Amino acid sequence: MGIFDGLRGGRSADFDSGSAATNAIELTARHRQVSLTKQGAATGNLRINLTWRMRTSDIGGSRRESLLRHPLKALKPPEVVGHSQSMVNVDLDLGCLYELADGTKGVVQPLGGLLGDVNAPPYVKLSGDDRFGSASGETIYVNLDHREKIKRLLVFVYIYDQTPAFDRTHAIVTLYPSNGPRIEIGLDERHPQARSCAVVLIENIKDELMVRREVKFVYGFQAELDRLYGWGLQWGRGFKNQPASA
């Protein structure tokens, strides 16, 4: 296993509705922000989900090469293939840096078993650790009934193994508010050497909860994200426990 960081010690246009086809808001480089408050979704539990799969172009050669050998495949839609440990040695983890209104700062992440609490500070909880990219992925819950106690949350994704692989996976972070359409942020940019990505920043700005797309890839781990966003935590090396064998 690799060695990673573990914790030691002007607005864009607002969106009123999602796509009629998908009932989703996609945050892009052009349309980066949405207000949960204006959506009427600043209460209840906000669910933040990470899922990923191996890029289809990396499985069994390119589609173009396949079509040359099997022309009838052009009539079939591209197959979406979920990866497994045998296909690609990558473990994407979902985490969240938090800063509360009283100045308390910390992190919720699988590394170190820092899973948080949804009914007590930091009002952020990680459901568990998905090591193989299952359909359900990893989920963080944020209790927005305590939104006045939350100053900002930085949701990030990092790779827990020794090989950077953001260029070999298609990952998506989806926010499911208590009301209104879901919010999607895709991690489709090719950054072969990146090990971490700041995905989305949730800020309480004058009693308005804003969600802003970040999608900033870095070559280090949590400590580098901390420096980038000025969190000021103390970091050290950390490991995951080995999963129990069957």
Side-chain angles (χ1 to χ4, degrees):
M1 283 295 182
I3 301 175
F4 300 91
D5 294 313
L7 185 63
R8 224 177 9 184
R11 299 186 180 171
S12 61
D14 293 306
F15 298 84
D16 295 324
S17 62
S19 162
T22 63
N23 193 32
I25 293 170
E26 182 181 2
L27 296 187
T28 66
R30 185 173 180 181
H31 300 290
R32 297 182 58 195
Q33 292 192 149
V34 64
S35 169
L36 291 181
T37 302
K38 290 183 178 179
Q39 296 276 19
T43 59
N45 283 336
L46 171 67
R47 181 162 59 98
I48 305 171
N49 181 250
L50 164 69
T51 55
W52 76 92
R53 59 179 170 80
M54 189 174 180
R55 294 180 186 271
T56 55
S57 60
D58 293 335
I59 302 175
S62 70
R63 179 167 168 81
R64 180 181 178 183
E65 179 182 348
S66 177
L67 292 179
L68 290 175
R69 296 182 178 181
H70 306 283
L72 292 179
K73 285 189 176 182
L75 302 177
K76 298 176 63 178
E79 182 181 2
V80 176
V81 182
H83 80 261
S84 68
Q85 188 181 34
S86 61
M87 289 182 181
V88 55
N89 182 25
V90 59
D91 180 8
L92 297 187
D93 279 339
L94 182 67
C96 179
L97 284 164
Y98 62 83
E99 180 178 1
L100 303 183
D102 65 3
T104 302
K105 298 178 182 180
V107 66
V108 171
Q109 63 180 20
L111 187 59
L114 301 170
L115 302 183
D117 194 313
V118 75
N119 294 313
Y123 308 107
V124 179
K125 182 174 178 61
L126 180 66
S127 63
D129 179 14
D130 170 26
R131 300 196 179 189
F132 307 112
S134 68
S136 60
E138 294 188 3
T139 300
I140 284 176
Y141 295 92
V142 181
N143 188 343
L144 296 184
D145 289 337
H146 295 274
R147 61 192 176 281
E148 74 281 354
K149 300 175 184 176
I150 298 172
K151 182 178 180 180
R152 59 175 179 157
L153 306 172
L154 179 67
V155 178
F156 62 90
V157 174
Y158 65 98
I159 294 177
Y160 188 80
D161 65 20
Q162 297 185 18
T163 305
F166 274 114
D167 65 323
R168 296 163 62 194
T169 59
H170 171 77
I172 185 167
V173 172
T174 307
L175 282 65
Y176 296 90
S178 60
N179 183 55
R182 68 184 184 272
I183 302 166
E184 297 180 346
I185 304 100
L187 307 184
D188 290 327
E189 299 174 20
R190 296 272 185 164
H191 288 267
Q193 300 304 314
R195 295 182 182 271
S196 306
C197 180
V199 179
V200 63
L201 186 66
I202 303 170
E203 291 186 286
N204 193 337
I205 304 174
K206 297 180 179 179
D207 297 323
E208 183 177 6
L209 278 181
M210 298 297 300
V211 175
R212 188 177 77 216
R213 177 188 185 271
E214 296 294 319
V215 189
K216 294 181 179 178
F217 290 87
V218 299
Y219 300 106
F221 298 101
Q222 293 91 319
E224 188 169 342
L225 293 174
D226 182 312
R227 287 190 294 270
L228 186 62
Y229 287 88
W231 236 266
L233 300 177
Q234 298 296 317
W235 297 87
R237 290 181 174 181
F239 298 87
K240 281 188 183 181
N241 294 325
Q242 292 285 351
S245 57

